[in-house]
Amino acid sequence: MLWVLAKLLPDFLQEQVRQASYYAVLGMFWSVMAPLFLDLSDRYDRGEISSVPAIVDHVLAGLVAAAAKPLVYQVQAQGATYDILPEAAGLTFLADAAVPYVETVFFRSFPFRGTVSYNAQAGSISRDLGEFTYGALYADPLPIGGAGIPPTLLAQDMVRQAPPYLLELYQGQPRSLAAAPGLAVLSFQKSMFCVTSAAIRGLAPHPLASTDPNHQRINQTYLQAWRDRSKVPACPKFWRRWKPDHSAWLPLSGS
């Protein structure tokens, strides 16, 4: 059967191997991040975490600790071992799993069908597709809960798993727990800013606390590139941008 597929569709098996590699790396990513987040929750319960900077520091420490972890993927077939992602390739957790995850999910995801409409003639989509951004950092959580929108079930699952102190916070909102799915998505979005901040700090060319003027200049150039990406997304009609103090999102004027 596979021989027939290889003859009819020469790229089919290669694509399946590529897809399996993506899944393997995603699993390696979560094998690091899941314990990191569970430890974060335990530390919060113990009163060791009480601020956003402390959350970012915790995530950063976990990313740095696993930064050089090699990404290796092997398969066994008929008694032989095949290196799909060999250690010699030099792939590592931070640069080749964590950062691409942030790039893909947080910056370059596409909105679920039926949630946002685009008018290409009005310039809603840039001619340079490399500039297109939506992702978790830009996504509008308001459609959550609408019929047929995939994140609905995910949001409900997050509410079911939410700790009592978070449900208590949601109960204090105008619509109480009726709005919990949408509020859970907002909580998730805020948490992703912490992860993104940690990843950006972890990739800085030099320690951000360095007092060396040359290090500061290089770090400033590096951080400015990330700031520019976060400032004004490519589709201003539907996006949001930072306040000057980077503390919240606000709709663009006229949107």
Side-chain angles (χ1 to χ4, degrees), residues 174-189:
R175 294 181 58 220
S176 188
L177 291 182
L183 295 173
V185 173
L186 282 171
S187 297
F188 170 80
Q189 194 174 39

Side-chain angles (χ1 to χ4, degrees), residues 4-221:
V4 174
L5 283 173
K7 290 296 183 181
L8 293 176
L9 305 167
D11 296 330
F12 175 78
L13 293 180
Q14 282 188 343
E15 184 58 34
Q16 295 305 303
V17 172
R18 185 180 294 110
Q19 181 174 300
S21 299
Y22 290 151
Y23 289 154
V25 171
L26 189 60
M28 296 176 214
F29 171 80
W30 281 111
S31 71
V32 171
M33 300 305 294
L36 186 154
F37 289 142
L38 290 173
D39 184 41
L40 174 64
S41 177
D42 292 340
R43 291 187 62 197
Y44 179 84
D45 291 340
R46 295 194 298 266
E48 299 174 11
I49 299 290
S50 59
S51 66
V52 170
I55 295 173
V56 174
D57 287 342
H58 174 91
V59 176
L60 175 61
L63 293 178
V64 170
K69 181 180 180 179
L71 302 180
V72 178
Y73 177 42
Q74 298 174 326
V75 296
Q76 307 287 332
Q78 297 180 341
T81 300
Y82 297 90
D83 289 324
I84 306 301
L85 298 178
E87 188 170 357
L91 301 177
T92 57
F93 169 77
L94 183 59
D96 300 298
V99 172
Y101 187 95
V102 168
E103 173 75 18
T104 301
V105 177
F106 300 168
F107 284 99
R108 298 209 179 280
S109 297
F110 199 82
F112 290 99
R113 293 180 180 180
T115 59
V116 177
S117 296
Y118 297 101
N119 184 338
Q121 292 178 329
S124 295
I125 297 179
S126 171
R127 290 184 179 275
D128 180 3
L129 294 183
E131 294 181 359
F132 182 83
T133 48
Y134 191 75
L137 300 188
Y138 303 122
D140 187 344
L142 293 179
I144 296 300
I149 297 177
T152 300
L153 294 178
L154 174 60
Q156 292 172 352
D157 286 341
M158 286 195 289
V159 172
R160 281 192 287 269
Q161 301 296 329
Y165 56 79
L166 197 55
L167 294 176
E168 183 179 347
L169 178 66
Y170 295 161
Q171 282 180 322
Q173 301 303 310
R175 294 181 58 220
S176 188
L177 291 182
L183 295 173
V185 173
L186 282 171
S187 297
F188 170 80
Q189 194 174 39
K190 291 176 181 179
S191 70
M192 292 307 99
F193 279 107
C194 296
V195 176
T196 303
S197 297
I200 292 172
R201 289 177 58 186
L203 284 175
H206 301 285
L208 296 182
S210 174
T211 57
D212 185 311
N214 187 50
H215 289 178
Q216 291 178 339
R217 177 181 55 79
I218 295 173
N219 283 340
Q220 183 176 12
T221 300

Side-chain angles (χ1 to χ4, degrees), residues 215-236:
H215 289 178
Q216 291 178 339
R217 177 181 55 79
I218 295 173
N219 283 340
Q220 183 176 12
T221 300
Y222 165 79
L223 293 172
Q224 282 177 340
W226 281 103
R227 181 203 61 186
D228 293 342
R229 290 200 61 187
S230 302
K231 186 169 55 176
V232 182
C235 302

